[in-house]
Amino acid sequence: MDYKEALDYLHSLYRFGSRLGLERVTRLLELAGRPQDQVRAVHIAGTNGKGSVTSMVASILQAAGYRTGMYISPYLERFTERAGIGNEEIPKDTVARLVGQLIPLIERMVAEGHEHPTEFEVVTAMAFLYFAQEKTDLVALEVGLGGRFDATNTVNSLVSVITNISFDHMERLGNTLPQIAYEKAGIIKERGVVVTGATGAALDVIAGVAREKGAQITIVGRDVTWEEVSSAHTGQVINVRTQRREYLGLELSLLGRHQQANAATAVAAVECLALAGYQVSPRAIFAGLKAAAWPGRLEIMRRDPLVILDGAHNADGARVLALALRDVIPHQRLFLVLGLLGDKCSRDILAELVPLATEVVVTRPLSPRALPPERLAEEVAVLGCPAVVEEDIGRAVDVALSRAGRADAVCVAGSLYLVGHARSHLKRGR
């Protein structure tokens, strides 16, 4: 099996949909020799910010000298982004070898009468095999969806992180913040360690689960605090205070004031690793945060005109993006390229972003779940903003660029299935 055949096989598993539950992946991992038991993980869940925190934690641990793996979902431009060690993505031939190793195990479990595992479950099993075989010291492991019944929750993590709780995937996780928080809190382990940036009723639920499981909880905003020193489109500087020490003048390359809370969360998480014997020096924290990168999230791709990419795919993400845009481009005209999936609260997202735009170019993300752009254009028009429909993502970006003057700004936002393709298009244009 070569890499293309492996990807074709994985993509064929989309027909099984996305189904929460641990029975299928647990059996597959048992047949594979339980590689997840060899993975020492910081397990990261949350509605927004979990990818950024995953990247920050991985960068800090790498700066500390640990052989560090990272697992994310979804990828932005290449499948091999899903798993990596250090600065290297999983090699294509390793993907082919591991998928080839898993296929007969999948066939065996199906023959035993088990349901066929989903694409995400197979990819997660592949990642655990990869990290185990490569003998990683630590892995920053991002939850795919929810937490309690997510395939990644088969790992016995050293630290569990829950960034924040807001409304997303309500059809799977519940219609109230406490219900969603309960699903996310499912990653907390018995007598484990949890760090959370949640607030209000969601925090009450997470703290309650931690008490029930005898887990130690660190609350960002109470036990760990931060203050802004400076914030600009070139980077940010913050001070962070934990129960152990003070970090003055931490530099963040990631843009947006929301990343300040994410950085404080990452610092708290790596400090907690000391309880398991993994020491991380202040020097590694400073170096790791400065080096951390998270493509497609408030990422400046060009200047003159300014081009920003951001995967704001729910209302809370759109609210954060809107605040950041007001900081970065307070006086410029903004041309918005937007595409969403059909299962998102499009009206709430548009209400945050459209009032900032001079014009919106509506397009279709590369997903069968994409919201038809004509429907999205109608919703934009209701808000009183001109809308142009361009089905092709590359052409949609080009239309926005053709409208924008050198002093203006273009923001490509919405589904990561849109942002990733737009990012590739812009890089080719260079």
Side-chain angles (χ1 to χ4, degrees):
M1 171 172 281
D2 62 22
Y3 177 68
K4 182 182 182 305
E5 291 169 333
L7 279 192
D8 289 344
Y9 173 79
L10 293 173
H11 293 160
S12 76
L13 302 183
Y14 290 162
R15 69 186 187 276
F16 297 107
S18 172
R19 292 175 288 166
L20 296 177
L22 299 180
E23 299 83 3
R24 296 175 299 273
V25 70
T26 297
R27 180 55 181 153
L28 177 57
L29 289 167
E30 286 174 350
L31 293 174
R34 297 190 60 84
Q36 75 275 22
D37 292 346
Q38 300 174 54
V39 174
R40 302 291 175 261
V42 178
H43 196 193
I44 301 149
T47 304
N48 291 305
K50 65 181 187 292
S52 297
V53 172
T54 300
S55 175
M56 291 177 182
V57 167
S59 185
I60 291 169
L61 295 179
Q62 185 180 346
Y66 293 109
R67 183 167 171 78
T68 304
M70 185 169 76
Y71 181 61
I72 63 169
S73 175
Y75 63 90
L76 196 59
E77 296 179 83
R78 300 171 302 280
F79 175 82
T80 51
E81 297 170 18
R82 292 289 295 271
I85 297 174
N87 293 323
E88 302 296 325
E89 298 173 8
I90 183 171
K92 292 180 179 180
D93 59 351
T94 302
V95 172
R97 175 175 58 80
L98 293 176
V99 172
Q101 184 178 333
L102 287 170
I103 287 174
L105 305 181
I106 294 167
E107 293 172 346
R108 176 178 167 184
M109 64 178 283
V110 171
E112 292 173 346
H114 295 277
E115 289 184 338
H116 199 292
T118 66
E119 182 267 349
F120 182 74
E121 290 164 348
V122 175
V123 173
T124 300
M126 179 202 75
F128 283 144
L129 278 172
Y130 172 54
F131 296 136
Q133 292 175 6
E134 292 295 323
K135 299 185 178 358
T136 52
D137 297 318
L138 292 160
V139 173
L141 186 72
E142 183 186 3
V143 167
L145 176 63
R148 186 162 63 110
F149 292 125
D150 186 78
T152 60
N153 204 28
T154 50
V155 76
N156 187 21
S157 57
L158 300 175
V159 179
S160 302
V161 178
I162 304 169
T163 58
N164 56 55
I165 305 296
S166 59
F167 290 106
D168 200 7
H169 301 293
M170 286 91 78
E171 74 285 355
R172 305 287 192 84
L173 305 179
N175 293 314
T176 69
L177 292 181
Q179 287 174 326
I180 296 171
Y182 181 74
E183 295 301 321
K184 309 280 187 183
I187 69 169
I188 300 173
K189 301 299 185 281
E190 294 287 341
R191 305 187 65 79
V193 178
V194 59
V195 174
T196 183
T199 58
L203 174 59
D204 293 341
V205 170
I206 293 167
V209 172
R211 282 194 301 272
E212 291 170 8
K213 294 187 175 182
Q216 175 183 309
I217 187 169
T218 298
I219 299 172
V220 177
R222 185 193 72 181
D223 307 316
V224 176
T225 60
W226 74 95
E227 62 184 10
E228 178 183 303
V229 177
S230 64
S231 179
H233 61 81
T234 54
Q236 306 184 77
V237 179
I238 61 172
N239 299 328
V240 173
R241 293 175 177 85
T242 72
Q243 294 175 314
R244 294 179 175 86
R245 58 170 51 93
E246 193 174 54
Y247 303 88
L248 301 179
L250 288 169
E251 296 180 53
L252 311 182
S253 297
L254 299 181
L255 304 182
R257 286 188 165 88
H258 60 289
Q259 297 293 6
Q260 298 174 12
N262 290 334
T265 302
V267 170
V270 297
E271 277 197 349
C272 286
L273 284 170
L275 299 171
Y278 294 90
Q279 300 298 326
V280 178
S281 69
R283 178 177 294 181
I285 288 174
F286 275 82
L289 286 178
K290 185 175 182 179
W294 194 225
R297 284 74 171 185
L298 263 181
E299 180 183 17
I300 295 178
M301 290 293 293
R302 291 185 185 178
R303 301 179 189 271
D304 192 28
L306 188 69
V307 179
I308 299 172
L309 304 182
D310 191 77
H313 60 278
N314 56 36
D316 196 52
R319 190 173 306 115
V320 166
L321 173 59
L323 289 172
L325 290 174
R326 289 187 180 97
D327 284 341
V328 175
I329 50 170
H331 307 301
Q332 293 148 283
R333 293 193 305 166
L334 174 66
F335 293 84
L336 185 65
V337 179
L338 188 64
L340 300 171
L341 299 186
D343 56 359
K344 302 299 178 181
C345 298
S346 57
R347 291 183 181 177
D348 293 338
I349 295 170
L350 295 180
E352 297 290 343
L353 297 177
V354 171
L356 304 180
T358 300
E359 184 178 62
V360 179
V361 183
V362 179
T363 190
R364 183 186 296 271
L366 297 179
S367 168
R369 295 184 288 130
L371 182 68
E374 294 79 11
R375 243 181 68 196
L376 192 57
E378 291 172 0
E379 294 183 19
V380 171
V382 168
L383 294 172
C385 183
V388 176
V389 174
E390 177 49 73
E391 289 263 348
D392 180 81
I393 293 171
R395 285 198 293 270
V397 172
D398 290 342
V399 167
L401 287 171
S402 71
R403 301 280 212 273
R406 294 178 65 180
D408 296 328
V410 172
C411 179
V412 182
S415 168
L416 288 172
Y417 296 103
L418 157 67
V419 171
H421 189 87
R423 190 173 193 268
S424 298
H425 177 77
L426 287 163
K427 285 161 64 178
R428 286 193 299 269
R430 280 182 179 156

